[in-house]
PDB file of all heavy atoms in Angstrom:
ATOM      1  N   ARG K   1       0.830  -1.208   0.000  1.00 97.00           N
ATOM      2  CA  ARG K   1       0.000   0.000   0.000  1.00 97.00           C
ATOM      3  C   ARG K   1       0.862   1.255   0.000  1.00 97.00           C
ATOM      4  O   ARG K   1       0.542   2.236  -0.689  1.00 97.00           O
ATOM      5  CB  ARG K   1      -0.938  -0.007   1.209  1.00 97.00           C
ATOM      6  CG  ARG K   1      -1.976  -1.123   1.159  1.00 97.00           C
ATOM      7  CD  ARG K   1      -2.867  -1.113   2.380  1.00 97.00           C
ATOM      8  NE  ARG K   1      -3.869  -2.181   2.321  1.00 97.00           N
ATOM      9  CZ  ARG K   1      -4.832  -2.362   3.214  1.00 97.00           C
ATOM     10  NH1 ARG K   1      -4.920  -1.524   4.247  1.00 97.00           N
ATOM     11  NH2 ARG K   1      -5.697  -3.350   3.083  1.00 97.00           N
ATOM     12  N   GLU K   2       1.941   1.252   0.764  1.00 98.00           N
ATOM     13  CA  GLU K   2       2.834   2.413   0.790  1.00 98.00           C
ATOM     14  C   GLU K   2       3.510   2.599  -0.564  1.00 98.00           C
ATOM     15  O   GLU K   2       3.687   3.733  -1.025  1.00 98.00           O
ATOM     16  CB  GLU K   2       3.879   2.237   1.893  1.00 98.00           C
ATOM     17  CG  GLU K   2       3.291   2.351   3.296  1.00 98.00           C
ATOM     18  CD  GLU K   2       4.313   2.067   4.381  1.00 98.00           C
ATOM     19  OE1 GLU K   2       5.369   1.457   4.064  1.00 98.00           O
ATOM     20  OE2 GLU K   2       4.050   2.425   5.545  1.00 98.00           O
ATOM     21  N   ARG K   3       3.873   1.496  -1.207  1.00 97.00           N
ATOM     22  CA  ARG K   3       4.505   1.577  -2.527  1.00 97.00           C
ATOM     23  C   ARG K   3       3.540   2.147  -3.556  1.00 97.00           C
ATOM     24  O   ARG K   3       3.935   2.941  -4.422  1.00 97.00           O
ATOM     25  CB  ARG K   3       4.988   0.180  -2.942  1.00 97.00           C
ATOM     26  CG  ARG K   3       5.886   0.201  -4.164  1.00 97.00           C
ATOM     27  CD  ARG K   3       6.673  -1.085  -4.305  1.00 97.00           C
ATOM     28  NE  ARG K   3       5.816  -2.224  -4.566  1.00 97.00           N
ATOM     29  CZ  ARG K   3       5.712  -3.286  -3.772  1.00 97.00           C
ATOM     30  NH1 ARG K   3       6.385  -3.340  -2.630  1.00 97.00           N
ATOM     31  NH2 ARG K   3       4.931  -4.297  -4.099  1.00 97.00           N
ATOM     32  N   ARG K   4       2.278   1.773  -3.453  1.00 96.00           N
ATOM     33  CA  ARG K   4       1.281   2.291  -4.388  1.00 96.00           C
ATOM     34  C   ARG K   4       1.130   3.807  -4.224  1.00 96.00           C
ATOM     35  O   ARG K   4       1.064   4.547  -5.207  1.00 96.00           O
ATOM     36  CB  ARG K   4      -0.063   1.587  -4.140  1.00 96.00           C
ATOM     37  CG  ARG K   4      -1.153   1.944  -5.142  1.00 96.00           C
ATOM     38  CD  ARG K   4      -2.374   1.074  -4.902  1.00 96.00           C
ATOM     39  NE  ARG K   4      -2.094  -0.324  -5.176  1.00 96.00           N
ATOM     40  CZ  ARG K   4      -2.435  -1.330  -4.381  1.00 96.00           C
ATOM     41  NH1 ARG K   4      -3.056  -1.094  -3.240  1.00 96.00           N
ATOM     42  NH2 ARG K   4      -2.151  -2.578  -4.720  1.00 96.00           N
ATOM     43  N   ILE K   5       1.094   4.274  -2.977  1.00 98.00           N
ATOM     44  CA  ILE K   5       0.986   5.710  -2.730  1.00 98.00           C
ATOM     45  C   ILE K   5       2.218   6.437  -3.259  1.00 98.00           C
ATOM     46  O   ILE K   5       2.107   7.494  -3.886  1.00 98.00           O
ATOM     47  CB  ILE K   5       0.787   5.975  -1.217  1.00 98.00           C
ATOM     48  CG1 ILE K   5      -0.611   5.520  -0.782  1.00 98.00           C
ATOM     49  CG2 ILE K   5       0.995   7.459  -0.894  1.00 98.00           C
ATOM     50  CD1 ILE K   5      -0.839   5.566   0.715  1.00 98.00           C
ATOM     51  N   ARG K   6       3.400   5.870  -3.017  1.00 97.00           N
ATOM     52  CA  ARG K   6       4.632   6.501  -3.507  1.00 97.00           C
ATOM     53  C   ARG K   6       4.642   6.591  -5.026  1.00 97.00           C
ATOM     54  O   ARG K   6       5.133   7.572  -5.604  1.00 97.00           O
ATOM     55  CB  ARG K   6       5.857   5.725  -3.014  1.00 97.00           C
ATOM     56  CG  ARG K   6       6.131   5.854  -1.523  1.00 97.00           C
ATOM     57  CD  ARG K   6       7.544   5.398  -1.182  1.00 97.00           C
ATOM     58  NE  ARG K   6       7.780   3.993  -1.497  1.00 97.00           N
ATOM     59  CZ  ARG K   6       7.570   2.978  -0.655  1.00 97.00           C
ATOM     60  NH1 ARG K   6       7.116   3.220   0.563  1.00 97.00           N
ATOM     61  NH2 ARG K   6       7.836   1.733  -1.023  1.00 97.00           N
ATOM     62  N   PHE K   7       4.107   5.578  -5.698  1.00 97.00           N
ATOM     63  CA  PHE K   7       4.038   5.613  -7.158  1.00 97.00           C
ATOM     64  C   PHE K   7       3.243   6.828  -7.628  1.00 97.00           C
ATOM     65  O   PHE K   7       3.689   7.576  -8.516  1.00 97.00           O
ATOM     66  CB  PHE K   7       3.388   4.335  -7.695  1.00 97.00           C
ATOM     67  CG  PHE K   7       2.917   4.441  -9.115  1.00 97.00           C
ATOM     68  CD1 PHE K   7       3.830   4.393 -10.171  1.00 97.00           C
ATOM     69  CD2 PHE K   7       1.569   4.624  -9.417  1.00 97.00           C
ATOM     70  CE1 PHE K   7       3.407   4.516 -11.493  1.00 97.00           C
ATOM     71  CE2 PHE K   7       1.136   4.741 -10.728  1.00 97.00           C
ATOM     72  CZ  PHE K   7       2.055   4.684 -11.769  1.00 97.00           C
ATOM     73  N   TYR K   8       2.077   7.039  -7.044  1.00 97.00           N
ATOM     74  CA  TYR K   8       1.258   8.175  -7.476  1.00 97.00           C
ATOM     75  C   TYR K   8       1.924   9.507  -7.122  1.00 97.00           C
ATOM     76  O   TYR K   8       1.882  10.462  -7.907  1.00 97.00           O
ATOM     77  CB  TYR K   8      -0.131   8.088  -6.855  1.00 97.00           C
ATOM     78  CG  TYR K   8      -0.997   7.021  -7.485  1.00 97.00           C
ATOM     79  CD1 TYR K   8      -1.469   5.942  -6.731  1.00 97.00           C
ATOM     80  CD2 TYR K   8      -1.330   7.076  -8.831  1.00 97.00           C
ATOM     81  CE1 TYR K   8      -2.261   4.956  -7.320  1.00 97.00           C
ATOM     82  CE2 TYR K   8      -2.117   6.096  -9.420  1.00 97.00           C
ATOM     83  CZ  TYR K   8      -2.581   5.038  -8.660  1.00 97.00           C
ATOM     84  OH  TYR K   8      -3.352   4.057  -9.240  1.00 97.00           O
ATOM     85  N   GLU K   9       2.568   9.574  -5.948  1.00 96.00           N
ATOM     86  CA  GLU K   9       3.251  10.811  -5.572  1.00 96.00           C
ATOM     87  C   GLU K   9       4.402  11.114  -6.526  1.00 96.00           C
ATOM     88  O   GLU K   9       4.608  12.275  -6.904  1.00 96.00           O
ATOM     89  CB  GLU K   9       3.771  10.710  -4.142  1.00 96.00           C
ATOM     90  CG  GLU K   9       2.689  10.788  -3.086  1.00 96.00           C
ATOM     91  CD  GLU K   9       3.271  10.874  -1.682  1.00 96.00           C
ATOM     92  OE1 GLU K   9       3.913   9.894  -1.249  1.00 96.00           O
ATOM     93  OE2 GLU K   9       3.098  11.918  -1.031  1.00 96.00           O
ATOM     94  N   ARG K  10       5.163  10.102  -6.913  1.00 95.00           N
ATOM     95  CA  ARG K  10       6.264  10.310  -7.854  1.00 95.00           C
ATOM     96  C   ARG K  10       5.769  10.868  -9.175  1.00 95.00           C
ATOM     97  O   ARG K  10       6.489  11.568  -9.882  1.00 95.00           O
ATOM     98  CB  ARG K  10       6.989   8.991  -8.135  1.00 95.00           C
ATOM     99  CG  ARG K  10       7.937   8.535  -7.088  1.00 95.00           C
ATOM    100  CD  ARG K  10       8.922   7.500  -7.637  1.00 95.00           C
ATOM    101  NE  ARG K  10       8.282   6.418  -8.357  1.00 95.00           N
ATOM    102  CZ  ARG K  10       7.821   5.297  -7.805  1.00 95.00           C
ATOM    103  NH1 ARG K  10       7.929   5.124  -6.493  1.00 95.00           N
ATOM    104  NH2 ARG K  10       7.268   4.348  -8.536  1.00 95.00           N
ATOM    105  N   ASN K  11       4.524  10.571  -9.486  1.00 94.00           N
ATOM    106  CA  ASN K  11       3.975  11.004 -10.768  1.00 94.00           C
ATOM    107  C   ASN K  11       3.050  12.213 -10.645  1.00 94.00           C
ATOM    108  O   ASN K  11       2.198  12.446 -11.501  1.00 94.00           O
ATOM    109  CB  ASN K  11       3.257   9.824 -11.427  1.00 94.00           C
ATOM    110  CG  ASN K  11       4.237   8.798 -11.954  1.00 94.00           C
ATOM    111  OD1 ASN K  11       4.897   9.006 -12.963  1.00 94.00           O
ATOM    112  ND2 ASN K  11       4.383   7.685 -11.233  1.00 94.00           N
ATOM    113  N   GLY K  12       3.246  12.980  -9.569  1.00 92.00           N
ATOM    114  CA  GLY K  12       2.600  14.279  -9.465  1.00 92.00           C
ATOM    115  C   GLY K  12       1.354  14.362  -8.630  1.00 92.00           C
ATOM    116  O   GLY K  12       0.788  15.444  -8.471  1.00 92.00           O
ATOM    117  N   ALA K  13       0.887  13.240  -8.080  1.00 93.00           N
ATOM    118  CA  ALA K  13      -0.307  13.286  -7.238  1.00 93.00           C
ATOM    119  C   ALA K  13       0.040  13.874  -5.875  1.00 93.00           C
ATOM    120  O   ALA K  13       1.165  13.731  -5.386  1.00 93.00           O
ATOM    121  CB  ALA K  13      -0.908  11.894  -7.076  1.00 93.00           C
ATOM    122  N   VAL K  14      -0.924  14.536  -5.276  1.00 92.00           N
ATOM    123  CA  VAL K  14      -0.770  15.114  -3.944  1.00 92.00           C
ATOM    124  C   VAL K  14      -1.461  14.207  -2.938  1.00 92.00           C
ATOM    125  O   VAL K  14      -2.654  13.904  -3.072  1.00 92.00           O
ATOM    126  CB  VAL K  14      -1.384  16.525  -3.877  1.00 92.00           C
ATOM    127  CG1 VAL K  14      -1.324  17.080  -2.457  1.00 92.00           C
ATOM    128  CG2 VAL K  14      -0.675  17.466  -4.844  1.00 92.00           C
ATOM    129  N   LEU K  15      -0.713  13.750  -1.934  1.00 95.00           N
ATOM    130  CA  LEU K  15      -1.300  12.955  -0.851  1.00 95.00           C
ATOM    131  C   LEU K  15      -1.894  13.909   0.163  1.00 95.00           C
ATOM    132  O   LEU K  15      -1.184  14.720   0.762  1.00 95.00           O
ATOM    133  CB  LEU K  15      -0.231  12.082  -0.197  1.00 95.00           C
ATOM    134  CG  LEU K  15      -0.693  11.251   1.011  1.00 95.00           C
ATOM    135  CD1 LEU K  15      -1.751  10.235   0.601  1.00 95.00           C
ATOM    136  CD2 LEU K  15       0.498  10.556   1.667  1.00 95.00           C
ATOM    137  N   THR K  16      -3.195  13.841   0.353  1.00 95.00           N
ATOM    138  CA  THR K  16      -3.871  14.735   1.292  1.00 95.00           C
ATOM    139  C   THR K  16      -3.938  14.091   2.671  1.00 95.00           C
ATOM    140  O   THR K  16      -3.601  12.926   2.855  1.00 95.00           O
ATOM    141  CB  THR K  16      -5.294  15.063   0.810  1.00 95.00           C
ATOM    142  OG1 THR K  16      -6.165  13.938   1.051  1.00 95.00           O
ATOM    143  CG2 THR K  16      -5.310  15.411  -0.681  1.00 95.00           C
ATOM    144  N   GLN K  17      -4.417  14.853   3.624  1.00 96.00           N
ATOM    145  CA  GLN K  17      -4.646  14.325   4.969  1.00 96.00           C
ATOM    146  C   GLN K  17      -6.021  13.680   5.104  1.00 96.00           C
ATOM    147  O   GLN K  17      -6.325  13.062   6.123  1.00 96.00           O
ATOM    148  CB  GLN K  17      -4.495  15.445   5.999  1.00 96.00           C
ATOM    149  CG  GLN K  17      -3.078  15.991   6.123  1.00 96.00           C
ATOM    150  CD  GLN K  17      -2.088  14.910   6.485  1.00 96.00           C
ATOM    151  OE1 GLN K  17      -2.288  14.153   7.431  1.00 96.00           O
ATOM    152  NE2 GLN K  17      -1.016  14.830   5.718  1.00 96.00           N
ATOM    153  N   VAL K  18      -6.840  13.827   4.087  1.00 97.00           N
ATOM    154  CA  VAL K  18      -8.217  13.335   4.152  1.00 97.00           C
ATOM    155  C   VAL K  18      -8.259  11.813   4.120  1.00 97.00           C
ATOM    156  O   VAL K  18      -7.570  11.177   3.319  1.00 97.00           O
ATOM    157  CB  VAL K  18      -9.058  13.913   2.997  1.00 97.00           C
ATOM    158  CG1 VAL K  18     -10.447  13.291   2.957  1.00 97.00           C
ATOM    159  CG2 VAL K  18      -9.153  15.433   3.126  1.00 97.00           C
ATOM    160  N   ARG K  19      -9.044  11.247   5.015  1.00 97.00           N
ATOM    161  CA  ARG K  19      -9.334   9.824   5.011  1.00 97.00           C
ATOM    162  C   ARG K  19     -10.768   9.608   4.555  1.00 97.00           C
ATOM    163  O   ARG K  19     -11.640  10.453   4.792  1.00 97.00           O
ATOM    164  CB  ARG K  19      -9.182   9.218   6.398  1.00 97.00           C
ATOM    165  CG  ARG K  19      -7.809   8.661   6.730  1.00 97.00           C
ATOM    166  CD  ARG K  19      -6.754   9.696   6.778  1.00 97.00           C
ATOM    167  NE  ARG K  19      -5.532   9.179   7.428  1.00 97.00           N
ATOM    168  CZ  ARG K  19      -4.447   9.882   7.619  1.00 97.00           C
ATOM    169  NH1 ARG K  19      -4.395  11.150   7.213  1.00 97.00           N
ATOM    170  NH2 ARG K  19      -3.384   9.358   8.194  1.00 97.00           N
ATOM    171  N   ALA K  20     -10.993   8.480   3.909  1.00 98.00           N
ATOM    172  CA  ALA K  20     -12.342   8.118   3.479  1.00 98.00           C
ATOM    173  C   ALA K  20     -12.576   6.657   3.832  1.00 98.00           C
ATOM    174  O   ALA K  20     -11.778   5.789   3.466  1.00 98.00           O
ATOM    175  CB  ALA K  20     -12.499   8.329   1.972  1.00 98.00           C
ATOM    176  N   GLN K  21     -13.645   6.409   4.553  1.00 97.00           N
ATOM    177  CA  GLN K  21     -14.048   5.038   4.827  1.00 97.00           C
ATOM    178  C   GLN K  21     -15.266   4.744   3.972  1.00 97.00           C
ATOM    179  O   GLN K  21     -16.325   5.361   4.123  1.00 97.00           O
ATOM    180  CB  GLN K  21     -14.377   4.842   6.304  1.00 97.00           C
ATOM    181  CG  GLN K  21     -14.571   3.380   6.677  1.00 97.00           C
ATOM    182  CD  GLN K  21     -14.760   3.183   8.156  1.00 97.00           C
ATOM    183  OE1 GLN K  21     -15.814   3.507   8.698  1.00 97.00           O
ATOM    184  NE2 GLN K  21     -13.743   2.663   8.837  1.00 97.00           N
ATOM    185  N   LEU K  22     -15.094   3.816   3.022  1.00 96.00           N
ATOM    186  CA  LEU K  22     -16.124   3.507   2.055  1.00 96.00           C
ATOM    187  C   LEU K  22     -16.491   2.034   2.168  1.00 96.00           C
ATOM    188  O   LEU K  22     -15.646   1.162   1.961  1.00 96.00           O
ATOM    189  CB  LEU K  22     -15.630   3.803   0.626  1.00 96.00           C
ATOM    190  CG  LEU K  22     -14.858   5.110   0.409  1.00 96.00           C
ATOM    191  CD1 LEU K  22     -14.352   5.197  -1.010  1.00 96.00           C
ATOM    192  CD2 LEU K  22     -15.731   6.300   0.758  1.00 96.00           C
ATOM    193  N   PHE K  23     -17.727   1.784   2.546  1.00 94.00           N
ATOM    194  CA  PHE K  23     -18.195   0.415   2.686  1.00 94.00           C
ATOM    195  C   PHE K  23     -17.251  -0.407   3.569  1.00 94.00           C
ATOM    196  O   PHE K  23     -16.942  -1.562   3.287  1.00 94.00           O
ATOM    197  CB  PHE K  23     -18.368  -0.240   1.309  1.00 94.00           C
ATOM    198  CG  PHE K  23     -19.341   0.477   0.426  1.00 94.00           C
ATOM    199  CD1 PHE K  23     -18.888   1.377  -0.546  1.00 94.00           C
ATOM    200  CD2 PHE K  23     -20.708   0.292   0.569  1.00 94.00           C
ATOM    201  CE1 PHE K  23     -19.789   2.056  -1.363  1.00 94.00           C
ATOM    202  CE2 PHE K  23     -21.616   0.968  -0.231  1.00 94.00           C
ATOM    203  CZ  PHE K  23     -21.160   1.845  -1.199  1.00 94.00           C
ATOM    204  N   GLY K  24     -16.764   0.219   4.646  1.00 94.00           N
ATOM    205  CA  GLY K  24     -15.948  -0.474   5.625  1.00 94.00           C
ATOM    206  C   GLY K  24     -14.462  -0.482   5.355  1.00 94.00           C
ATOM    207  O   GLY K  24     -13.677  -0.972   6.176  1.00 94.00           O
ATOM    208  N   VAL K  25     -14.015   0.054   4.223  1.00 95.00           N
ATOM    209  CA  VAL K  25     -12.585   0.073   3.863  1.00 95.00           C
ATOM    210  C   VAL K  25     -12.063   1.505   3.986  1.00 95.00           C
ATOM    211  O   VAL K  25     -12.680   2.442   3.467  1.00 95.00           O
ATOM    212  CB  VAL K  25     -12.350  -0.456   2.439  1.00 95.00           C
ATOM    213  CG1 VAL K  25     -10.868  -0.405   2.095  1.00 95.00           C
ATOM    214  CG2 VAL K  25     -12.895  -1.870   2.296  1.00 95.00           C
ATOM    215  N   THR K  26     -10.916   1.675   4.668  1.00 97.00           N
ATOM    216  CA  THR K  26     -10.351   3.000   4.881  1.00 97.00           C
ATOM    217  C   THR K  26      -9.302   3.315   3.822  1.00 97.00           C
ATOM    218  O   THR K  26      -8.415   2.493   3.558  1.00 97.00           O
ATOM    219  CB  THR K  26      -9.717   3.109   6.273  1.00 97.00           C
ATOM    220  OG1 THR K  26     -10.712   2.824   7.264  1.00 97.00           O
ATOM    221  CG2 THR K  26      -9.159   4.520   6.512  1.00 97.00           C
ATOM    222  N   TYR K  27      -9.406   4.515   3.236  1.00 97.00           N
ATOM    223  CA  TYR K  27      -8.505   4.936   2.163  1.00 97.00           C
ATOM    224  C   TYR K  27      -7.781   6.224   2.537  1.00 97.00           C
ATOM    225  O   TYR K  27      -8.332   7.086   3.232  1.00 97.00           O
ATOM    226  CB  TYR K  27      -9.291   5.201   0.870  1.00 97.00           C
ATOM    227  CG  TYR K  27      -9.945   3.974   0.282  1.00 97.00           C
ATOM    228  CD1 TYR K  27     -11.253   3.634   0.621  1.00 97.00           C
ATOM    229  CD2 TYR K  27      -9.270   3.152  -0.615  1.00 97.00           C
ATOM    230  CE1 TYR K  27     -11.865   2.510   0.082  1.00 97.00           C
ATOM    231  CE2 TYR K  27      -9.872   2.028  -1.152  1.00 97.00           C
ATOM    232  CZ  TYR K  27     -11.174   1.715  -0.801  1.00 97.00           C
ATOM    233  OH  TYR K  27     -11.766   0.598  -1.329  1.00 97.00           O
TER     234      TYR K  27
END
């Protein structure tokens, strides 16, 4: 999961502080 986030950050995505729990899964 950390590697997936790093991939998007390397490609210009901004990691926010916002959390979302959708149908029991936290993102």
Side-chain angles (χ1 to χ4, degrees):
R1 294 179 180 184
E2 290 175 342
R3 191 163 66 241
R4 186 173 295 134
I5 289 172
R6 289 196 298 270
F7 163 76
Y8 286 118
E9 287 188 295
R10 282 199 310 272
N11 287 286
V14 175
L15 177 63
T16 76
Q17 293 302 309
V18 174
R19 269 65 166 181
Q21 190 174 73
L22 317 175
F23 301 98
V25 179
T26 302
Y27 295 92

